[in-house]
């Protein structure tokens, strides 16, 4: 069956030089709800970032990123996996991003010539309450005595030209390693993490580690929340345009040739990035064109389409 | 001819009673023919076995089968805490590798593939038998590590008996058991009602410098109603019907690194078995049918989780056992099991059909006994592995007995392994492999002293071991045939007893050395090649000293469990002692005993499962009364 890559969310842009922020408010989300990737779009665009989502329709499960406006700060457990512990985004905004990290979660910059300045990070309610009180699988931090030197660490690195940097930013979502237990903490407010030292990035990669590990891996729920990702870019105005289908690409999954159809007559750049942000294909087209991507190895890619009026991103699977 | 046959069967029964080392006061209520019919499958040739009759069960501190196996056989019981889930680990297997039968039918959950042994009250059966090693050829999936048989048995000499047991204990423990048996030489009705509860609000130590923490949300309540009918139609035909209703509520306590828990689990089960037996001049026919209807609800309101599981199993079994030329017995049988299961995590109703044909031949002559069996099972149209078994008993001298058994065994994937969403894998293969074991047993009697010694060595390799794993880039666990497990070990046992007039003294003990290792390195779960399975102690030992004098019975049981690996951390070795003092008296038709038990007498601070504390020293006081006519 032919499957088509559709771009349902397009962004109109005005090019100026200033800071822009991915705050996810451009994504239509009812109060106290979430986008878990079940729409099959493969991720979420906000500001100058694409946050990939890998959704398994058979099992109704996801990894990578979800977008949430849920506000539950009290209910422990997996059923409350979409909430931030502050019950909102930064500055009481409605929407924020939640990551479930399986190995690593990647966030792609769509303006790769500009440095990422930083982002706000917070604990997810499920993870926070698990660390605070323990659950059936994970320990409460500090252990039975309160003295265990537990931690929950977010490590952020960058890919540039497909190469993972050695530099990293470490941020403790919880830290119980202090001699004085009164200094132990679990983050429960949005906290800015400065990423300017990472410089220009193709993509950011996020990993989680914990002191509570077993044979089956990390026991602490592998979730954290992100909001207001700031980048020095050319865009000062990013308007969300819920539009009809203006581009389509098919088939998906693909083997050798990708058919690109556009309703626009403007020259459009079609760029394909690896999941780590490396540019692996680029072409400027007008109208409809058959693109040869036979040389790409098997895997999942991000297709980024941009012209003077719009920009959009989507996942593409090469078989 | 029939008389001779009875002699052989009786002698065979005697031989088997010898193989059950270390047991005294064996009272078998069955007739000799019934013993043969049952034992050819339940206690096959080639490996040691143990059996407890109702009289022996009265002197055992255990109130459930988990405790019985732990205390009397030295088996490792993976216990999540007093009054909570308990499964066995026999010869390096897990709970799903020990098959539990109730009156000849498996009572494991087909969804989970295992059975919580703490839910099986000792008071609910007349006898229990236990045999280690592979028995798949005779009983089907799961009988890899061991076989536990719970049996309700008729006594046609009984006219009327009424029995009551009341036990009170620490932490709000209360057990009440009532039994009523009425009948004559043609018809018997046995009714049992039991109620058991406990708060389990014990205190446990976190650290020597910190105040103790009290266990919360750990209460349990169990109700059992059982009814057995035995109808001897004539000398050749007997019909038995067994009904068992169970209703259990258990709160799930928090771990010692968890602040609170409000979770609980409710289990309901209705089980019925009907068995018709026809004893001919050369053959015994058995037709058995059963229906099990079981519910399990897990509720955790804190995390808004409710899991409702339900299954129904229908059983049909036909066996015929022939005896000829005094030394040969042949058993042919066929079974069919139809199971329906429901769960929110299944896609629709799950149906499973299993059919099996099996045969067993036994030859016994002089000092030799040989038994060979074969089974072929068909599961939902696909063949399970063809499994043979061969066992040998040889009485080398009056004091020396040898046993040997080689068998192929398997365990089918559970319904959850195959159909759970997410992660179920319908293409899973059965775990299967060969096992071998050999036993040397010696025994001697001099004057009032008698002693036995035995050592069993075993070796077992199971392929396609099923594990749930987290594939790279996937956020849900899924079942796979991932690894190969090699189990081997030594099980020495000894028993010394002294009997003179009113005095009986018995000392018995045993030690298990078990290596059960993963042979394939895995990333998730993180297992290196050669790693010992988690919750499988390499070293374990037990000893029991019992003294009986003029109705006064005292025993001390000591168990050592070596260190094991848990999922997160190593679990230290621990030792637990149990003291029981009992006074027995009989006046005419009245028999009674008063008993006092001190559990964990040395107040050991220990866990069996990591983060799940066990109770310290605690007590039970009970009275048992029986009036029989």
């Amino acid at each position: 069956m032919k499957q088509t890559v559709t771009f349902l969310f397009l962004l109109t842009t005005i090019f100026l030089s200033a800071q822009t922020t991915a705050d996810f408010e451009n994504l239509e989300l009812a109060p106290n709800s979430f986008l878990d990737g079940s729409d099959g779009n493969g991720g979420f665009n906000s500001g100058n970032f694409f946050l990939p989502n890998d959704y398994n329709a058979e099992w109704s499960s996801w990894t990578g990123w979800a977008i949430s406006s849920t506000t539950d700060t009290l209910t422990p457990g997996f059923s409350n996996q979409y909430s931030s512990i502050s019950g909102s985004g930064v500055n009481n905004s409605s929407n924020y991003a939640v990551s479930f990290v399986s190995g690593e979660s990647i966030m792609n910059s769509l303006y790769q010539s500009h440095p990422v300045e930083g982002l706000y990070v917070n604990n997810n309610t499920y993870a926070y309450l698990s660390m605070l009180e323990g659950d059936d699988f994970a320990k409460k931090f500090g252990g039975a005595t309160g003295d265990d030197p537990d931690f929950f660490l977010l490590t952020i690195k960058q890919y540039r030209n497909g190469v993972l940097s050695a530099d990293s930013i470490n941020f403790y979502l919880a830290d119980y390693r202090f001699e004085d237990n009164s200094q132990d903490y679990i983050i429960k407010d949005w906290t800015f993490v400065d990423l300017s030292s990472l410089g220009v990035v193709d993509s950011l990669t996020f990993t989680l580690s914990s002191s509570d590990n077993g044979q089956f891996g990390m026991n602490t729920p592998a979730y954290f929340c992100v909001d207001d990702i700031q980048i020095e870019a050319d865009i000062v105005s990013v308007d969300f345009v819920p539009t009809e289908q203006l581009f389509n690409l098919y088939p998906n999954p693909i083997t050798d040739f990708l058919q690109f159809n556009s309703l626009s007559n403007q020259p459009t750049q079609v760029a394909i990035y690896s999941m780590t942000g490396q540019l692996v294909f680029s072409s400027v087209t007008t109208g409809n064109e058959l693109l040869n991507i036979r040389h790409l190895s098997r895997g999942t890619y991000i297709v980024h389409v941009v012209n003077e009026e719009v920009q959009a991103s989507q996942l593409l699977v090469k078989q | 001819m029939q008389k001779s046959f009875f002699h052989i069967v009786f002698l065979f029964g005697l031989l088997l009673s010898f193989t059950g080392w270390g047991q005294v006061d064996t009272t078998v209520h069955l007739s000799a023919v019934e013993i043969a019919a049952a034992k050819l499958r339940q206690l096959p040739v080639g490996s040691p076995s143990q059996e407890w009759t109702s009289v022996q069960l009265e002197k055992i501190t255990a109130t459930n089968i988990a405790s019985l196996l732990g205390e009397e056989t030295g088996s490792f019981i993976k216990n999540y805490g007093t009054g909570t889930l308990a499964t066995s680990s026999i010869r390096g297997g897990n709970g799903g590798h020990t098959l539990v039968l109730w009156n000849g039918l498996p009572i494991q959950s087909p969804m989970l593939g295992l059975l919580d042994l703490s839910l099986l009250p000792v008071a609910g059966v007349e006898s229990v038998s236990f045999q280690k090693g592979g028995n798949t050829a005779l009983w089907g999936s799961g009988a890899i590590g061991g076989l536990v048989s719970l049996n309700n048995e008729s006594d046609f000499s009984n006219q009327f008996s009424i029995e009551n047991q009341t036990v009170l204990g620490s932490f709000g423990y209360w057990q009440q058991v009532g039994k009523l048996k009425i009948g004559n030489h043609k018809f018997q009705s046995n009714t049992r009602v039991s109620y058991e509860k406990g708060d389990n609000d014990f205190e446990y130590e976190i650290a020597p410098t910190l105040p103790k923490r009290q266990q919360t949300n750990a209460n349990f309540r169990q109700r059992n109603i059982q009814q057995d009918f035995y109808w001897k139609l004539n000398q050749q035909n007997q019909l038995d019907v067994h009904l068992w209703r169970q209703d259990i509520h258990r709160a799930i306590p928090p771990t010692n690194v968890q602040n609170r828990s409000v979770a609980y689990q409710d289990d309901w089960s209705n089980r019925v078995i009907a068995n018709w037996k026809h004893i001919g001049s050369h053959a015994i026919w058995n037709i058995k049918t059963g229906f099990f209807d079981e519910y399990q609800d897990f509720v955790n309101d804190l995390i808004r989780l409710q899991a409702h599981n339900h299954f129904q199993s229908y059983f049909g079994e036909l066996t015929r056992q022939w005896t000829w030329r005094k030394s040969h017995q042949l058993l042919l049988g066929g079974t069919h099991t139809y199971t329906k299961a429901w769960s929110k995590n299944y896609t629709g109703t799950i149906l499973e059909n299993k059919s099996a044909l099996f045969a067993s031949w036994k030859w016994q002559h002089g000092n030799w006994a040989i038994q060979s069996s074969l089974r072929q099972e068909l599961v939902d149209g696909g063949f399970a592995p063809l499994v043979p078994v061969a066992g040998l008993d040889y009485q080398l001298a009056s004091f020396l007995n040898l046993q040997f058994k080689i068998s192929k065994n398997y365990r089918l994937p559970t319904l959850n392994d195959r159909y759970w969403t997410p992660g179920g894998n319908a293409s899973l293969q059965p775990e299967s492999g060969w096992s071998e074991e050999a036993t040397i047993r010696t025994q001697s009697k001099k004057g009032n002293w008698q002693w036995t010694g035995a050592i069993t060595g075993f070796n077992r390799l199971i392929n396609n071991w099923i594990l749930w794993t987290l594939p790279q880039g996937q956020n849900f666990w899924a079942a796979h045939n991932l690894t190969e497990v090699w189990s081997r070990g030594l099980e020495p046992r000894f028993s010394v007893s002294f009997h003179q007039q009113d005095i009986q003294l018995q000392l018995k003990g045993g030690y298990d050395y078990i290596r059960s290792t993963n042979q394939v390195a895995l990333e998730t779960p993180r297992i290196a090649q050669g790693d010992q399975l988690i919750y499988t102690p390499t070293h374990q030992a037990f000893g029991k000293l019992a003294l009986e004098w003029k109705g006064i019975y005292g025993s001390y049981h000591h168990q050592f469990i070596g260190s094991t690996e848990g999922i997160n951390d190593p679990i230290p070795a621990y030792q637990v002692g149990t003291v029981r003092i009992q006074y027995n008296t009989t006046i005419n038709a009245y028999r009674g005993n008063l008993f006092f038990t001190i559990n964990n007498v040395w107040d050991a601070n220990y866990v069996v499962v990591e983060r799940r504390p066990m109770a310290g020293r605690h007590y039970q006081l009970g009275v048992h009364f029986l009036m029989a006519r």
Side-chain angles (χ1 to χ4, degrees):
Chain A
M1 188 180 75
K2 183 177 80 172
Q3 292 206 6
T4 305
V5 178
T6 56
F7 297 94
L8 301 177
F9 305 108
L10 302 179
L11 308 172
T12 61
T13 58
I14 300 171
F15 292 86
L16 290 171
S17 180
Q19 181 194 78
T20 66
T21 301
D23 59 9
F24 311 103
E25 302 300 325
N26 61 304
L27 298 169
E28 278 193 343
L29 200 52
N32 221 15
S33 64
F34 54 83
L35 302 171
D36 61 359
S38 54
D39 56 8
N41 283 337
F44 309 97
N45 275 305
S46 185
N48 297 300
F49 287 90
F50 178 73
L51 282 63
N53 167 289
D54 184 8
Y55 186 80
N56 185 311
E58 187 179 2
W59 307 125
S60 303
S61 64
W62 61 279
T63 58
W65 298 91
I67 307 300
S68 175
S69 62
T70 58
T71 59
D72 188 343
T73 62
L74 299 175
T75 305
F78 174 78
S79 66
N80 194 20
Q81 62 174 322
Y82 296 104
S83 295
S84 80
I85 189 58
S86 58
S88 65
V90 173
N91 295 325
N92 292 320
S93 64
S94 172
N95 297 354
Y96 52 91
V98 180
S99 181
F100 173 63
V101 182
S102 178
E104 63 177 356
S105 284
I106 286 177
M107 179 186 290
N108 295 95
S109 169
L110 303 179
Y111 278 85
Q112 299 182 345
S113 57
H114 297 77
V116 177
E117 293 186 343
L119 45 68
Y120 282 86
V121 168
N122 201 353
N123 268 306
N124 154 276
T125 302
Y126 173 25
Y128 177 87
L129 294 178
S130 171
M131 291 185 279
L132 186 70
E133 300 196 311
D135 60 32
D136 290 344
F137 305 102
K139 65 185 287 192
K140 65 177 179 183
F141 273 23
T145 63
D147 295 333
D148 291 358
D150 290 313
F151 65 85
F152 188 38
L153 175 64
L154 173 66
T155 299
I156 307 171
K157 291 186 176 183
Q158 58 116 318
Y159 280 99
R160 182 69 186 160
N161 297 323
V163 178
L164 183 63
S165 70
D167 298 334
S168 63
I169 304 292
N170 285 331
F171 178 77
Y172 283 90
L173 290 159
D175 195 349
Y176 275 58
R177 295 174 302 156
F178 300 97
E179 283 293 322
D180 178 0
N181 289 349
S182 66
Q183 294 184 311
D184 295 342
Y185 67 87
I186 307 174
I187 291 290
K188 61 178 180 181
D189 296 309
W190 288 103
T191 306
F192 185 75
V193 179
D194 186 349
L195 301 180
S196 57
S197 62
L198 294 179
V200 174
V201 304
D202 293 347
S203 63
L204 297 170
T205 177
F206 301 82
T207 56
L208 291 170
S209 55
S210 168
S211 53
D212 184 14
N213 301 291
Q215 194 181 46
F216 291 86
M218 188 171 73
N219 294 323
T220 310
Y223 291 83
F224 71 102
C225 300
V226 159
D227 202 1
D228 285 8
I229 311 157
Q230 296 170 3
I231 190 169
E232 185 72 29
D234 292 329
I235 303 169
V236 293
S237 169
V238 179
D239 296 327
F240 171 68
V241 183
T243 126
E244 298 298 324
Q245 181 175 316
L246 298 180
F247 298 107
N248 64 54
L249 294 168
Y250 61 87
N252 187 21
I254 190 172
T255 51
D256 296 329
F257 293 95
L258 181 64
Q259 178 66 47
F260 173 77
N261 293 341
S262 170
L263 300 180
S264 169
N265 292 323
Q266 291 190 16
T268 302
Q269 184 183 41
V270 179
I272 300 178
Y273 296 90
S274 70
M275 290 304 289
T276 59
Q278 186 179 19
L279 181 65
V280 293
F281 176 89
S282 182
S283 175
V284 176
T285 70
T286 302
N288 303 335
E289 190 167 333
L290 193 63
L291 307 174
N292 183 351
I293 58 168
R294 181 180 290 170
H295 66 284
L296 297 185
S297 55
R298 290 180 180 179
T300 303
Y301 297 88
I302 299 164
V303 184
H304 184 55
V305 178
V306 61
N307 61 29
E308 288 188 357
E309 295 175 343
V310 294
Q311 61 166 313
S313 299
Q314 183 57 280
L315 285 188
L316 179 71
V317 177
K318 173 82 187 307
Q319 291 183 330
Chain B
M1 179 65 191
Q2 190 170 1
K3 189 177 173 185
S4 301
F5 165 68
F6 283 176
H7 279 301
I8 289 165
V9 168
F10 184 65
L11 287 172
F12 172 61
L14 280 179
L15 177 66
L16 283 177
S17 71
F18 272 116
T19 63
W21 65 272
Q23 294 298 316
V24 293
D25 296 339
T26 301
T27 303
V28 179
H29 297 290
L30 294 172
S31 72
V33 168
E34 287 172 315
I35 292 171
K39 301 298 194 283
L40 192 64
R41 287 183 78 190
Q42 288 185 357
L43 298 174
V45 168
S47 54
S49 57
Q50 284 178 266
E51 188 171 21
W52 299 268
T53 65
S54 55
V55 173
Q56 290 169 314
L57 292 174
E58 279 181 21
K59 296 179 181 174
I60 288 170
T61 57
T63 56
N64 59 56
I65 298 301
S67 304
L68 175 73
L69 294 179
E71 292 173 12
E72 297 298 315
T73 73
S75 300
F76 177 65
I77 301 299
K78 186 181 172 187
N79 195 325
Y80 283 75
T82 310
T84 59
L85 176 67
T87 59
S88 63
S89 173
I90 310 291
R91 289 187 174 171
N94 58 39
H97 295 122
T98 299
L99 185 64
V100 182
L101 306 169
W102 175 57
N103 291 308
L105 293 182
I107 52 174
Q108 257 99 342
S109 160
M111 302 174 78
L112 294 168
L114 49 79
L115 182 68
D116 183 350
L117 299 174
S118 72
L119 302 185
L120 306 175
V122 169
V125 292
E126 267 79 35
S127 75
V128 179
S129 65
F130 173 60
Q131 187 175 52
K132 291 183 178 179
N135 278 302
T136 304
L138 286 166
W139 292 103
S141 171
I144 290 179
L147 178 70
V148 179
S149 297
L150 314 177
N151 302 305
N152 297 113
E153 294 161 355
S154 58
D155 177 7
F156 285 101
S157 65
N158 174 71
Q159 291 182 316
F160 175 84
S161 75
I162 188 166
E163 196 172 344
N164 176 71
Q165 177 167 291
T166 303
V167 184
L168 297 173
S170 308
F171 321 126
Y173 181 79
W174 176 32
Q175 186 201 46
Q176 193 72 47
V177 180
K179 300 180 186 177
L180 175 66
K181 299 182 179 180
I182 302 174
N184 53 34
H185 66 287
K186 280 207 170 279
F187 182 81
Q188 288 288 326
S189 166
N190 295 356
T191 307
R192 295 178 194 77
V193 180
S194 70
Y195 178 81
E196 190 178 12
K197 68 170 276 289
D199 297 329
N200 279 326
D201 52 350
F202 58 87
E203 291 187 332
Y204 63 92
E205 183 180 290
I206 297 170
T209 56
L210 293 174
K212 287 188 172 182
R213 181 181 173 186
Q214 187 167 39
Q215 186 64 291
T216 57
N217 199 54
N219 63 85
F220 74 97
R221 185 256 307 139
Q222 180 176 159
R223 291 187 287 235
N224 289 275
I225 301 174
Q226 285 179 267
Q227 177 65 54
D228 303 318
F229 295 112
Y230 304 94
W231 186 17
K232 189 183 281 185
L233 303 164
N234 50 44
Q235 284 300 313
Q236 283 76 42
N237 294 284
Q238 182 176 322
L239 178 66
D240 303 344
V241 177
H242 309 279
L243 301 115
W244 183 5
R245 160 81 180 177
Q246 242 187 337
D247 170 8
I248 296 146
H249 170 83
R250 286 183 296 181
I252 312 294
T255 68
N256 62 8
V257 286
Q258 185 180 6
N259 282 350
R260 57 183 171 144
S261 170
V262 299
Y264 64 89
Q265 182 174 314
D266 290 335
D267 294 80
W268 299 271
S269 63
N270 295 298
R271 303 181 178 111
V272 57
I273 294 175
N275 185 63
W276 174 70
K277 184 187 298 177
H278 172 77
I279 303 173
S281 57
H282 296 285
I284 301 172
W285 284 90
N286 259 293
I287 299 177
K288 184 173 291 184
T289 184
F291 172 63
F292 299 167
D293 186 15
E294 305 193 18
Y295 297 81
Q296 185 187 73
D297 285 355
F298 178 87
V299 178
N300 188 343
D301 289 331
L302 204 59
I303 61 172
R304 298 186 298 209
L305 175 64
Q306 295 194 348
H308 306 288
N309 302 315
H310 176 204
F311 74 85
Q312 293 177 335
S313 290
Y314 303 79
F315 302 89
E317 181 180 283
L318 172 67
T319 63
R320 188 177 188 195
Q321 185 174 328
W322 292 267
T323 301
W324 78 99
R325 290 187 181 177
K326 301 180 183 178
S327 55
H328 293 272
Q329 290 178 58
L330 178 66
L331 174 74
L332 293 179
T335 70
H336 183 79
T337 306
Y338 171 64
T339 298
K340 293 164 71 175
W342 299 266
S343 170
K344 190 173 68 177
N345 288 85
Y346 290 164
T347 306
T349 302
I350 301 298
L351 306 177
E352 185 186 59
N353 276 286
K354 296 191 293 185
S355 303
L357 292 174
F358 58 92
S360 185
W361 165 76
K362 183 181 171 188
W363 173 75
Q364 188 176 346
H365 182 73
N367 296 332
W368 294 87
I370 294 172
Q371 185 172 349
S372 180
S373 308
L374 187 69
R375 183 188 193 88
Q376 178 64 70
E377 187 161 7
L378 196 63
V379 183
D380 288 335
F383 285 103
L386 179 70
V387 282
V389 58
L392 165 73
D393 277 8
Y394 178 53
Q395 193 71 33
L396 187 62
S398 61
F399 62 91
L400 195 62
N401 175 264
L402 305 176
Q403 289 180 304
F404 177 76
K405 185 159 84 173
I406 180 169
S407 60
K408 188 174 184 184
N409 302 284
Y410 64 84
R411 184 181 77 91
L412 297 169
T414 67
L415 296 183
N416 285 359
D417 287 337
R418 293 162 65 194
Y419 301 114
W420 191 261
T421 304
N425 181 353
S427 61
L428 283 176
Q429 297 298 307
E431 299 174 346
S432 66
W434 288 90
S435 64
E436 306 86 29
E437 63 178 278
T439 300
I440 302 173
R441 177 179 298 99
T442 180
Q443 60 184 34
S444 180
K445 186 174 183 181
K446 188 171 185 179
N448 297 322
W449 291 90
Q450 184 173 350
W451 67 274
T452 63
I455 184 166
T456 300
F458 71 91
N459 181 66
R460 185 181 69 212
L461 191 64
I462 299 294
N463 295 304
N464 290 324
W465 193 275
I466 296 169
L467 282 175
W468 282 67
T469 184
L470 184 65
Q472 185 66 34
Q474 201 163 283
N475 66 337
F476 54 85
W477 295 77
H480 296 282
N481 294 108
L482 273 184
T483 188
E484 181 181 80
V485 173
W486 179 25
S487 306
R488 61 280 191 195
L490 291 172
E491 299 165 336
R493 296 287 187 270
F494 78 92
S495 169
V496 179
S497 60
F498 173 81
H499 187 189
Q500 185 178 43
Q501 294 179 336
D502 295 331
I503 298 176
Q504 282 192 66
L505 174 71
Q506 187 188 41
L507 174 66
K508 69 176 183 178
Y511 163 73
D512 286 357
Y513 170 79
I514 295 172
R515 289 285 293 156
S516 192
T517 52
N518 285 285
Q519 298 304 104
V520 178
L522 302 172
E523 277 194 27
T524 310
R526 191 178 61 249
I527 300 171
Q529 185 181 8
D531 273 1
Q532 179 88 347
L533 296 190
I534 60 172
Y535 293 115
T536 306
T538 302
H539 306 281
Q540 50 186 313
F542 76 100
K544 183 176 182 180
L545 176 65
L547 176 65
E548 188 164 9
W549 175 69
K550 288 187 176 178
I552 299 173
Y553 172 85
S555 70
Y556 174 73
H557 178 272
H558 194 89
Q559 187 170 30
F560 165 80
I561 301 293
S563 60
T564 61
E565 285 294 328
I567 291 174
N568 301 292
D569 301 303
I571 299 169
Y574 62 87
Q575 300 185 57
V576 182
T578 306
V579 170
R580 182 177 176 100
I581 300 167
Q582 181 169 323
Y583 175 67
N584 304 308
T585 185
T586 302
I587 304 173
N588 299 326
Y590 301 92
R591 194 171 88 219
N593 60 60
L594 181 70
F595 57 90
F596 179 64
T597 304
I598 309 173
N599 296 297
N600 192 3
V601 65
W602 308 115
D603 202 22
N605 186 28
Y606 72 106
V607 296
V608 181
V609 173
E610 58 191 327
R611 302 177 176 177
R612 297 282 178 186
M614 300 293 286
R617 184 186 302 116
H618 57 288
Y619 311 92
Q620 288 180 345
L621 177 65
V623 60
H624 175 241
F625 166 81
L626 169 71
M627 195 279 280
R629 199 172 59 204

